[in-house]
Amino acid sequence: MSLYRLPTFLMFGMLLLMLAFLVSLPAKAFAKPSIKLISTSASTTLPKAKTGFPHPNDPNQLFFVQRTSNANTIVYAAQFDANGELNKRRPVIAYWRRYAEQGQTMPLRWYERVFGFGVRARRNPKGDGYFVSFNAMRNHTVELRQSGPFEASLWTRYNNRDFELVYGYLDLDEKSLLPKVDRLRLYTTTKGTRGYFTHLIAVSGGEYQE
């Protein structure tokens, strides 16, 4: 059973207990998640990590994340000002697309935003874009680049090559109450090619919460 399906009062009580436990831990107990690229494979079409899971196509969409647990999807979208320039205060937002329900959008809950899927952006001092990090893995950043009015994309770099992010898929170990991420499949594309690249990434340290 996911935390989302628990009664609100019980879920809130569990969160308070978890927070109290975390606060009582010594500083060295807070292990940051680490990632390691295992392999990269190419394909002519965009692979679908899970059959039956819809792919969102929202306005200003940059990237989305899906998981083994259900079809609910986290969407990352760019925010622009009236002139089509990236919003300087908040260039990226994140929200749910609840495909396991009626497909409606929903804001991230505070603990999802703070401990998991929330994003932080800071201006690239050497360029026009932004460095973006996800709260669950703040020591790993991607780059937000603007290519024109109301046009932007997220980029990462592996083996001295730039890849544009399309979506990610989290393989979860759900044997315990709080699922843990075992593996990330990152789907990307590149400039000058018509194909896609799937990066298999091992994840260790750190827990995932819906």
Side-chain angles (χ1 to χ4, degrees):
M1 176 182 294
S2 71
L3 290 178
Y4 179 73
R5 296 188 183 93
L6 292 173
T8 302
F9 72 91
L10 181 56
M11 181 174 67
F12 185 68
M14 290 173 60
L15 288 171
L16 289 178
L17 288 173
M18 287 191 298
L19 288 174
F21 172 71
L22 290 173
V23 170
S24 69
L25 291 174
K28 64 180 181 180
F30 291 92
K32 293 183 178 180
S34 62
I35 63 175
K36 180 181 180 182
L37 178 64
I38 303 299
S39 64
T40 297
S41 58
S43 59
T44 57
T45 58
L46 179 63
K48 202 159 190 178
K50 180 82 170 187
T51 302
F53 280 17
H55 283 188
N57 186 24
D58 289 359
N60 303 325
Q61 179 177 303
L62 296 167
F63 179 64
F64 63 92
V65 175
Q66 297 183 319
R67 308 144 307 137
T68 53
S69 51
N70 57 53
N72 291 333
T73 299
I74 303 97
V75 177
Y76 295 90
Q79 289 203 122
F80 300 97
D81 62 22
N83 297 318
E85 298 296 320
L86 285 167
N87 185 299
K88 294 180 180 180
R89 294 188 61 187
R90 198 180 180 196
V92 183
I93 58 171
Y95 57 89
W96 284 106
R97 177 65 74 175
R98 306 293 293 190
Y99 287 122
E101 299 163 12
Q102 289 79 43
Q104 76 276 18
T105 62
M106 189 183 85
L108 297 179
R109 304 176 187 88
W110 68 268
Y111 58 91
E112 295 166 342
R113 184 178 66 254
V114 172
F115 298 110
F117 298 117
V119 290
R120 296 168 182 254
R122 58 184 175 87
R123 193 81 182 187
N124 181 353
K126 298 181 180 180
D128 296 328
Y130 294 81
F131 291 124
V132 176
S133 61
F134 301 90
N135 285 344
M137 308 186 79
R138 294 181 187 176
N139 52 331
H140 299 281
T141 60
V142 296
E143 188 176 355
L144 176 62
R145 302 175 186 172
Q146 181 159 9
S147 54
F150 300 102
E151 294 181 1
S153 52
L154 286 173
W155 293 80
T156 189
R157 190 169 181 84
Y158 290 119
N159 298 325
N160 297 317
R161 186 176 184 183
D162 289 345
F163 295 91
E164 181 182 351
L165 302 184
V166 180
Y167 79 102
Y169 187 85
L170 300 175
D171 290 304
L172 304 181
D173 178 358
E174 301 183 274
K175 296 177 183 178
S176 59
L177 177 62
L178 294 179
K180 295 177 65 176
V181 178
D182 279 339
R183 186 173 61 175
L184 165 64
R185 280 177 270 174
L186 189 62
Y187 299 91
T188 67
T189 187
T190 63
K191 290 183 177 179
T193 66
R194 297 182 180 179
Y196 297 88
F197 297 87
T198 301
H199 310 275
L200 185 62
I201 299 170
V203 180
S204 61
E207 293 182 340
Y208 162 86
Q209 301 177 47
E210 184 190 9

